[in-house]
Amino acid sequence: MTPKELSRSWTISSYNEKSKNQLDYFINENRCNVGSRAYLFEHATNKLQKLSIVKIICNLDDMAAYNALPEDTLLTGEDLYNADTSAEFISDNACYLVWFNYVN
């Protein structure tokens, strides 16, 4: 898989856009479950890292609860869910908060 291939059919969440430190997270919305594969592309190193999903919170499950989450939910969730990294995804279908672990 390459970032270009992933961007064709996977949902992307980018951080530090248009900088050398840009990070692009990719999830497959059709297979977005705990244990599912995801990817992180680090522009600075030109490296595509495999990820495994450890926790997902989706706005479609409970919109009011999702909207009431504090701003630091991703960061506090990394400790709570023992995750290596996290990202928020906003697609045409739903909004997701997703926590990941790196896969070797």
Side-chain angles (χ1 to χ4, degrees), residues 12-94:
I12 186 171
S13 178
S14 296
Y15 291 82
N16 304 317
E17 292 180 89
K18 297 183 174 128
S19 78
K20 67 178 181 173
N21 297 318
Q22 182 169 332
L23 301 172
D24 297 329
Y25 290 85
F26 297 91
I27 59 170
N28 182 335
E29 280 189 84
N30 298 321
R31 295 184 190 145
C32 192
N33 302 302
V34 171
S36 293
R37 176 75 64 230
Y39 294 92
L40 168 61
F41 181 68
E42 299 178 42
H43 288 248
T45 61
N46 201 35
K47 180 181 174 187
L48 186 65
Q49 172 71 51
K50 290 180 186 177
L51 303 171
S52 177
I53 297 174
V54 295
K55 176 70 176 175
I56 304 162
I57 299 176
C58 180
N59 70 330
L60 298 179
D61 296 332
D62 186 340
M63 184 71 75
Y66 185 91
N67 290 336
L69 292 170
E71 283 187 35
D72 66 345
T73 298
L74 283 175
L75 289 177
T76 58
E78 288 180 14
D79 288 334
L80 182 65
Y81 306 123
N82 196 29
D84 295 321
T85 189
S86 59
E88 179 178 28
F89 295 83
I90 300 171
S91 75
D92 293 339
N93 304 315

